[in-house]
């Protein structure tokens, strides 16, 4: 390994021009825009004409401070999607891909294309619970204990939203809202077969009545992955990406009087994932065991028609178990040197004089999150509504080889935030917000946003918005020290290393948008500019990958979203 260093003052600057993106939503319906209304527990059961989670204030589409796509229940049913990530192909500017390497397949979900296989710049929430993992970053789409039929709607913030959801709400936010149990009473069983490559069985039972209803959902899924293929270079590739997942979830909703609502949720999923490559000396074909579970408690107290208090407490756990042996040293040296090395020659070429042997590898990792959040929404006067709150979070990651010593690392995070909506005059809406975060890893961060909307006609609008958001380094980016070792613990080869002391990535965005809705059809045109600084990525230095700040990126472009629907059926 050379002594080359990577410093912030030697970053290169890159410029990327985004192509115009067109999303045609003609086969899908959505909840039409309307004015903000008082929102109480029973309203969860209705076809909601407002967006709920972009600012934590219920707002109509023409009053939002950023571009939003709503995928409602009707759209979900019409899509025929088998995987949750496939629903996001309906969102303007989104790209969905499948990444394969010897460490296994991953689903990548991103906005404006700026990502790697971990999709670390996209925040994902389910009923307000963030499923972003601090260990490696992003959401583990394959491991989610969630049945598509249990989803009521998905609200997608197309652009940074750190002001509402803090760091890691970087390129956008995907907020999945599940169905109220009272809408899914009774029993249901489904079996899905897809050309012998995909098989899923789901069972659901909804019960209760009066002030308490609940839903219990279970599923078992088998996916044979992608078929083997022959590349243009003539080589044949087996994509070892089969997986099996068993999942169970519970949601119970209790109404404690007129003004109090309690939601209890827990669930988990587990199963083997086929990973590795037949011809790879360091990553043989094997089964990795993935498991995840969560517990969540939410309380909503309605003070009056314009004021409420919300509190939630949740815990996430994600675990990967993956211990194996590499090929023999003679095979490893043969690949490194490009010539056949007999087992008897290994002691003569090995720097420690070791005999021919396999190397133990343990890429297991466990991530835990504990989160407490409180928010208060109220109307200050006839023209102003506010929501403010705070959050406390603890993340802990334990890994064997990734951190070399098998150490555990903790990240403490506290937040204070507010979002305000002010209507200074007829047809004008101003959205202003600020998120302040205190991180034990990077210090204090501020994520502001200002947006001004001009309402045109009955349903038209024009908007200009500017804001800032951050992405925290993940545990593997900040603390990685991945070294292959002999059976006796002696270091053999350093593979990944972190520069340490990484700054968070920052994005400054500006957008102009205009749109309208008429007769069940709508459009939105968005023109944007995004400046990303202090990007974090892996840089190859000899045989070692170094996690470091690598540069800046500017993305400029435009996108248009079109939707159409008749009164009685989808077009």
């Amino acid at each position: 390994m050379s002594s080359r260093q990577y410093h912030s003052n030697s970053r290169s600057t890159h410029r990327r021009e985004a192509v115009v993106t067109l999303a045609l939503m003609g086969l899908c319906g959505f909840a039409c825009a309307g004015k903000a209304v008082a929102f109480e527990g029973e309203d969860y059961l209705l076809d909601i004409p407002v967006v709920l989670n972009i600012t934590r204030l219920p707002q109509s589409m023409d009053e939002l401070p950023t571009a939003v796509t709503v995928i409602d229940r009707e759209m979900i049913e019409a899509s025929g999607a088998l995987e949750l990530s496939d629903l996001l192909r309906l969102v303007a500017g989104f790209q969905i891909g499948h990444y394969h390497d010897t460490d296994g397949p991953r689903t990548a979900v991103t906005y404006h294309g700026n990502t790697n296989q971990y999709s670390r710049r996209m925040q994902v929430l389910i009923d307000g619970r963030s499923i972003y993992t601090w260990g490696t970053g992003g959401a583990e789409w394959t491991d989610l204990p969630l049945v598509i039929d249990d989803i009521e709607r998905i609200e997608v913030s197309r652009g940074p939203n750190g002001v509402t959801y803090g760091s890691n709400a970087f390129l956008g936010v995907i907020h999945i809202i599940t169905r109220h149990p009272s809408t899914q009473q009774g029993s249901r069983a489904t079996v899905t077969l897809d050309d012998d490559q995909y098989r899923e069985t789901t069972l659901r039972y909804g019960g209760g009545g009066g002030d308490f209803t609940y839903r219990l959902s279970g599923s078992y899924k088998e996916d044979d992955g992608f078929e083997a293929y022959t590349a243009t270079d003539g080589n044949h590739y087996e994509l070892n990406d089969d997986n099996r997942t068993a999942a169970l979830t519970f949601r119970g909703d209790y109404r404690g009087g007129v003004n109090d609502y309690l939601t209890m949720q827990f669930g988990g999923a587990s199963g083997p994932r086929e990973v590795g490559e037949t011809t790879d000396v360091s990553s043989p074909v094997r089964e990795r065991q993935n498991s995840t579970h969560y517990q969540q408690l939410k309380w909503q107290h309605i003070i009056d028609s314009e004021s409420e208090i919300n509190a939630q407490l949740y815990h996430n756990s994600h675990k990967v178990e993956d211990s194996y042996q590499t090929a023999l040293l003679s095979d490893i040296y043969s690949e490194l040197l490009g010539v056949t090395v007999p087992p008897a020659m290994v002691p003569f070429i090995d720097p420690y004089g070791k005999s021919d042997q396999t190397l133990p590898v343990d890429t297991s990792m466990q991530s835990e999150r504990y989160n407490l959040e409180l928010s208060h929404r109220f109307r200050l006067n006839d023209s102003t509504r506010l929501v403010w709150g705070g959050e406390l979070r603890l993340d802990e990651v334990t890994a064997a080889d990734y951190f070399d010593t098998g150490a555990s690392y903790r990240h403490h995070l506290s937040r204070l935030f507010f979002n305000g909506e002010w209507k200074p005059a007829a047809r004008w809406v101003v959205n202003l917000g600020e998120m302040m975060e205190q991180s034990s890893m990077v210090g204090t961060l501020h994520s502001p946003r200002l947006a001004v909307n001009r309402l045109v006609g009955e349903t038209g609008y024009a908007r200009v918005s500017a804001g800032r958001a951050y992405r925290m380094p993940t545990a593997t980016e900040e603390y990685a020290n991945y070294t292959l070792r002999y059976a006796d613990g002696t270091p053999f080869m350093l593979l990944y290393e972190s520069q340490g002391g990484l700054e968070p990535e920052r994005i400054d965005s500006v957008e102009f948008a205009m749109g309208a809705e008429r007769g069940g059809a709508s459009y939105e045109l968005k023109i944007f500019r995004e400046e990303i600084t202090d990007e974090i990525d892996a840089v190859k230095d000899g045989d070692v990958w170094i996690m470091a700040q690598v540069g800046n990126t500017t993305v400029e472009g435009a996108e248009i979203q079109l939707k159409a629907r008749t009164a009685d059926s989808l077009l």
Side-chain angles (χ1 to χ4, degrees):
M1 175 181 173
S2 72
S3 60
R4 179 180 176 187
Q5 300 293 319
Y6 299 89
H7 299 288
S8 59
N9 59 5
S10 61
R11 304 184 199 112
S12 59
T13 299
H14 307 281
R15 185 177 182 85
R16 302 174 187 167
E17 297 296 333
V19 299
V20 174
T21 303
L22 178 66
L24 293 174
M25 312 285 280
L27 295 179
C28 303
F30 75 107
C32 62
K35 299 303 178 184
V37 297
F39 196 74
E40 300 187 4
E42 293 88 343
D43 293 326
Y44 281 102
L45 316 184
L46 306 179
D47 185 17
I48 304 167
V50 294
V51 177
L52 308 175
N53 299 292
I54 302 306
T55 63
R56 301 179 190 255
L57 292 167
Q59 291 180 293
S60 58
M61 297 288 287
D62 54 359
E63 297 176 344
L64 292 169
T66 188
V68 172
T69 297
V70 176
I71 303 174
D72 68 2
R73 185 66 212 159
E74 188 176 17
M75 187 184 298
I76 293 170
E77 293 176 347
S79 71
L82 298 177
E83 298 286 352
L84 173 59
S85 58
D86 289 334
L87 288 171
L88 301 172
R89 298 181 188 275
L90 302 172
V91 182
F94 267 57
Q95 293 83 39
I96 315 301
H98 297 278
Y99 177 89
H100 286 78
D101 66 4
T102 56
D103 288 329
R106 296 188 67 90
T107 298
V109 177
T110 187
Y111 183 55
H112 294 163
N114 194 355
T115 191
N116 60 13
Q117 68 268 35
Y118 292 100
S119 304
R120 293 175 172 135
R121 299 185 175 106
M122 186 67 61
Q123 179 64 272
V124 184
L125 303 102
I126 302 176
D127 291 329
R129 175 178 60 90
S130 170
I131 60 173
Y132 188 99
T133 59
W134 183 52
T136 55
E140 301 288 346
W141 293 99
T142 306
D143 300 340
L144 293 184
L146 182 65
V147 177
I148 288 182
D149 189 55
D150 290 344
I151 299 174
E152 177 64 33
R153 58 199 270 123
I154 303 174
E155 297 180 358
V156 182
S157 174
R158 297 175 4 242
N161 201 4
V163 65
T164 305
Y165 294 107
S167 53
N168 305 326
F170 194 77
L171 293 178
V173 178
I174 302 165
H175 201 139
I176 302 163
I177 303 167
T178 62
R179 302 170 72 179
H180 195 282
S182 63
T183 67
Q184 294 178 290
Q185 294 294 283
S187 302
R188 176 183 170 91
T190 63
V191 177
T192 303
L193 302 176
D194 180 40
D195 297 332
D196 295 328
Q197 300 295 313
Y198 180 96
R199 300 166 294 280
E200 182 179 22
T201 300
T202 64
L203 301 171
R204 186 189 72 225
Y205 179 76
D211 292 335
F212 179 71
T213 56
Y214 65 90
R215 176 185 65 237
L216 184 66
S217 298
S219 66
Y220 180 77
K221 178 171 61 178
E222 294 181 337
D223 189 343
D224 295 341
F226 290 92
E227 296 181 351
Y229 71 99
T230 301
T232 55
D233 59 8
N235 291 325
H236 186 73
Y237 293 92
E238 293 282 346
L239 298 178
N240 302 301
D241 57 357
D242 296 2
N243 69 77
R244 301 187 299 276
T245 304
L248 181 69
T249 63
F250 172 86
R251 172 173 170 171
D253 283 73
Y254 173 71
R255 176 172 176 166
V258 177
N259 298 326
D260 291 284
Y261 303 86
L262 187 66
T263 300
M264 299 159 282
Q265 297 192 67
F266 62 83
S270 65
R273 310 283 183 260
E274 188 180 34
V275 299
E277 176 60 50
T278 305
T279 59
D280 193 288
V281 296
S282 62
S283 185
V285 176
R286 62 196 184 278
E287 282 194 340
R288 170 187 294 165
Q289 188 73 25
N290 285 22
S291 61
T292 184
H293 63 84
Y294 69 92
Q295 303 83 38
Q296 182 181 18
L297 188 64
K298 296 180 68 176
W299 170 62
Q300 179 189 33
H301 175 65
I302 306 295
I303 300 173
D304 55 44
S305 61
E306 294 283 359
S307 180
E308 67 180 36
I309 295 174
N310 289 276
Q312 76 164 344
L313 173 67
Y314 70 81
H315 165 247
N316 294 339
S317 177
H318 185 262
K319 186 176 183 179
V320 175
E321 298 175 271
D322 188 22
S323 301
Y324 60 94
Q325 299 286 325
T326 69
L328 291 167
L329 281 175
S330 55
D331 295 322
I332 295 176
Y333 281 125
S334 295
E335 182 174 281
L336 290 174
L337 300 176
V339 296
T340 301
V341 176
M345 288 295 297
V346 170
F348 298 99
I349 62 175
D350 186 85
Y352 296 97
K354 302 290 187 179
S355 60
D356 199 20
Q357 60 184 275
T358 61
L359 306 179
V361 178
D362 189 353
T363 59
S364 300
M365 178 180 292
Q366 182 161 354
S367 299
E368 302 278 347
R369 169 171 291 175
Y370 300 88
N371 198 97
L372 174 64
E373 179 185 296
L374 180 69
S375 65
H376 177 207
R377 175 175 67 87
F378 63 99
R379 178 173 290 279
L380 184 64
N381 52 47
D382 290 342
S383 62
T384 308
R385 294 190 302 153
L386 294 172
V387 59
W388 71 279
E391 190 172 354
L392 296 174
R393 174 177 294 175
L394 170 64
D395 282 303
E396 183 174 8
V397 176
T398 304
D401 289 358
Y402 280 114
F403 302 147
D404 189 38
T405 61
S408 294
Y409 289 97
R410 288 188 170 188
H411 179 218
H412 296 267
L413 182 69
S414 58
R415 292 170 169 166
L416 285 174
F417 62 85
F418 85 90
N419 273 294
E421 176 196 82
W422 176 44
K423 297 180 178 180
R427 298 191 172 277
W428 288 95
V429 181
V430 177
N431 284 276
L432 175 66
E434 159 75 10
M435 169 74 74
M436 183 181 72
E437 300 179 278
Q438 181 63 40
S439 162
S440 61
M441 185 167 54
V442 301
T444 303
L445 302 176
H446 293 274
S447 300
R449 179 173 61 201
L450 173 64
V452 179
N453 294 32
R454 168 65 175 173
L455 308 185
V456 181
E458 292 187 3
T459 59
Y461 61 92
R463 176 182 65 244
V464 61
S465 176
R468 172 174 293 176
Y470 292 89
R471 183 182 77 83
M472 298 278 190
T474 66
T476 49
E477 288 174 329
E478 178 68 16
Y479 304 114
N481 186 353
Y482 183 11
T483 304
L484 279 179
R485 294 179 177 273
Y486 298 96
D488 62 6
T490 303
F492 172 72
M493 179 184 294
L494 179 64
L495 299 179
Y496 294 92
E497 186 178 43
S498 174
Q499 182 185 26
L502 297 174
E503 295 293 326
E505 295 182 341
R506 190 183 84 186
I507 183 169
D508 293 287
S509 65
V510 177
E511 71 173 64
F512 169 78
M514 58 186 299
E517 179 189 3
R518 288 188 179 88
S522 69
Y523 81 92
E524 182 178 73
L525 170 66
K526 171 183 171 179
I527 302 171
F528 61 89
R529 176 184 174 87
E530 299 167 343
E531 295 183 354
I532 303 174
T533 56
D534 295 330
E535 285 186 278
I536 303 171
D537 206 348
V539 180
K540 195 71 176 288
D541 185 359
D543 294 326
V544 182
W545 287 98
I546 307 293
M547 304 304 300
Q549 318 275 180
V550 298
N552 308 323
T553 297
T554 297
V555 182
E556 298 172 329
E559 62 194 34
I560 185 169
Q561 177 174 269
L562 306 176
K563 297 182 181 180
R565 157 173 98 172
T566 63
D568 300 320
S569 62
L570 298 178
L571 289 175

